[in-house]
Amino acid sequence: MWWLIAAVGLGIPLVVTAMPEFGMFAVGAVASAVTAALGGGTVIQFLVFAAVSVALVAVVRPLANRHRTQSPALASGIDALKGKSATVLERVDGAGGRIKLGGEIWSARALDGDRAYEPGSQVDVVEIEGATAVVI
């Protein structure tokens, strides 16, 4: 019974602080409660608690950190438009112009202000600045 109380006690800071380590210790306490229910002695219960808690911290924490630091694999919004090809509708130069990008008409300007792209030519989107695509 004490292990279940400990599991609940460790679950409270997990919810309040969002620190997953407390959840891992709570799982260790539940494993010890199961060990106690199966008739394991006090020493075995503490060993199970320590082994399960340490194993979870050693395995789950590095996986969670790696997952948290990874950038999303699927780009969305304006990030998904970078690198896409577009068709010039109205002459695009350093001052502006129009392109068709992803089925929509966008205002655009050339990355190189001295360069101009004529209607019908293909350009690549380098960046999106506000509602303007910067192309090469």
Side-chain angles (χ1 to χ4, degrees):
M1 187 63 145
W2 291 107
W3 285 112
L4 294 178
I5 293 170
V8 171
L10 289 166
I12 291 170
L14 168 68
V15 173
V16 173
T17 65
M19 290 181 62
E21 291 82 3
F22 285 112
M24 295 173 205
F25 290 131
V27 171
V30 170
S32 293
V34 170
T35 302
L38 295 175
T42 305
V43 173
I44 300 293
Q45 293 172 30
F46 278 102
L47 289 175
V48 166
F49 173 74
V52 170
S53 298
V54 168
L56 285 173
V57 169
V59 172
V60 174
R61 193 163 186 246
L63 292 173
N65 284 338
R66 190 176 320 124
H67 180 69
R68 186 183 57 194
T69 59
Q70 279 181 336
S71 61
L74 180 63
S76 62
I78 61 172
D79 290 331
L81 299 175
K82 293 178 184 176
K84 297 284 185 183
S85 290
T87 305
V88 176
L89 299 177
E90 296 174 12
R91 179 186 162 105
V92 175
D93 54 22
R98 297 260 183 228
I99 60 170
K100 187 165 191 170
L101 174 62
E104 298 177 343
I105 298 175
W106 282 71
S107 60
R109 70 172 179 79
L111 179 63
D112 181 5
D114 298 331
R115 187 89 195 255
Y117 303 97
E118 297 302 323
S121 60
Q122 291 291 110
V123 292
D124 292 322
V125 177
V126 176
E127 191 176 341
I128 303 288
E129 293 178 351
T132 303
V134 179
V135 298
I136 56 171

